[in-house]
Amino acid sequence: MTRPPLDPTDAFAELGRIKLDENSLDDVLQRVAELAKRALPIPVEVSVTLVRGGTGHTAAFTDELARDLDERQYAHGRGPCLEAAASGDVLSVPDLTADDRWPDWAQRGRQAGVGSSVSIGLPIQEAVVGALNVYAHMPHAFDDDSVSILKTFGAYAAVALANAQLYDSTATLARQMQEAMANRAVIEQAKGIIMAERRCNPAEAFTILSKVSQDSNRKVREVAQTLVGRAARTSGV
């Protein structure tokens, strides 16, 4: 069911009510795409491209048409949404019948009834770049006001990306710290067991652990876990 159009001011207000900390990145980007579609005075379809490690995918879309035209670009490794994502700029295709930069993609778009498009590059992050892509059936469908509206939606999508990237980096760091602390704890336990059995000091105990690790081609942590587990079973713990 098609939802009624929104005044851009109302659409921006709805953007502001999206809680980035209570929704997944894909959910936020889907909402951005839907609101962008409703905020323009012309019929359009919207998608959001994300590029990680050189590979593009469509994280949100309002219609299969938009996703299909995005994926055509991913398959060939070139196109307006990929170039906008890489540069962070606005890339406009005013008339697909007169644009020869991406002939295969333009032909596919014309066959699908697309007359023009615009892609808004999202500010570059550490690991993710992206673009807000809008496809219209009419040629020359996007005037300066329309592009200005889309830039606002692109900026909000960029904030969502930045927050998601920060959350992911923070969560990864916390997980790595927890793993490091757990590894250190089991290694210290294993050293204590060796010190008690061999009557040696901590440095000598770690040397013994390291040699077993090398001889058995296992990580020091794995050797330590095996030793601690065996000691626990022996003691009946």
Side-chain angles (χ1 to χ4, degrees):
M1 179 179 177
T2 303
R3 302 185 69 180
L6 277 177
D7 182 274
T9 302
D10 295 331
F12 297 154
E14 286 205 29
L15 275 182
R17 287 192 285 269
I18 300 174
K19 296 183 179 180
L20 299 179
D21 59 341
E22 296 181 2
N23 295 275
S24 70
L25 176 61
D26 286 349
D27 289 341
V28 171
L29 296 180
Q30 183 64 38
R31 189 70 180 127
V32 169
E34 291 169 353
L35 287 171
K37 174 178 179 173
R38 295 176 61 196
L40 292 180
I42 54 175
V44 296
E45 300 300 342
V46 182
S47 67
V48 180
T49 290
L50 296 184
V51 182
R52 290 185 175 92
T55 301
H57 82 281
T58 299
F61 58 96
T62 60
D63 187 84
E64 295 290 343
L65 167 68
R67 185 172 67 172
D68 179 65
L69 289 181
D70 288 353
E71 291 182 345
R72 191 75 171 185
Q73 297 175 63
Y74 309 151
H76 290 267
R78 57 195 302 268
C81 77
L82 292 177
E83 292 202 14
S87 66
D89 296 331
V90 176
L91 208 156
S92 176
V93 183
D95 187 348
L96 268 70
T97 63
D99 195 287
D100 58 3
R101 289 171 289 181
W102 311 282
D104 179 81
W105 172 82
Q107 180 182 11
R108 181 63 169 265
R110 292 194 300 270
Q111 291 172 345
V114 173
S116 55
S117 75
V118 61
S119 291
I120 309 293
L122 308 181
I124 295 175
Q125 309 296 320
E126 291 181 2
V128 184
V129 295
L132 178 71
N133 313 301
V134 189
Y135 301 99
H137 294 291
M138 299 185 303
H140 303 283
F142 303 99
D143 57 16
D144 290 344
D145 288 341
S146 296
V147 173
S148 179
I149 290 170
L150 293 174
K151 283 182 177 179
T152 298
F153 282 94
Y156 194 87
V159 170
L161 275 174
N163 283 2
Q165 181 70 16
L166 177 60
Y167 175 81
D168 183 65
S169 299
T170 302
T172 298
L173 178 59
R175 184 167 58 252
Q176 290 172 343
M177 290 179 65
Q178 290 175 341
E179 291 174 355
M181 291 172 65
N183 291 343
R184 180 172 179 177
V186 75
I187 290 171
E188 290 300 318
Q189 286 179 289
K191 284 168 58 179
I193 293 169
I194 294 172
M195 288 165 61
E197 292 179 348
R198 304 290 184 92
R199 299 293 190 269
C200 60
N201 61 39
E204 291 170 335
F206 187 75
T207 298
I208 293 171
L209 268 178
S210 298
K211 187 175 187 311
V212 174
S213 169
Q214 292 172 356
D215 292 345
S216 62
N217 195 29
R218 292 184 295 164
K219 294 180 180 179
V220 172
R221 171 181 52 79
E222 294 173 353
V223 173
Q225 285 177 327
T226 299
L227 181 58
V228 171
R230 184 168 62 240
R233 289 191 298 273
T234 301
S235 63
V237 176

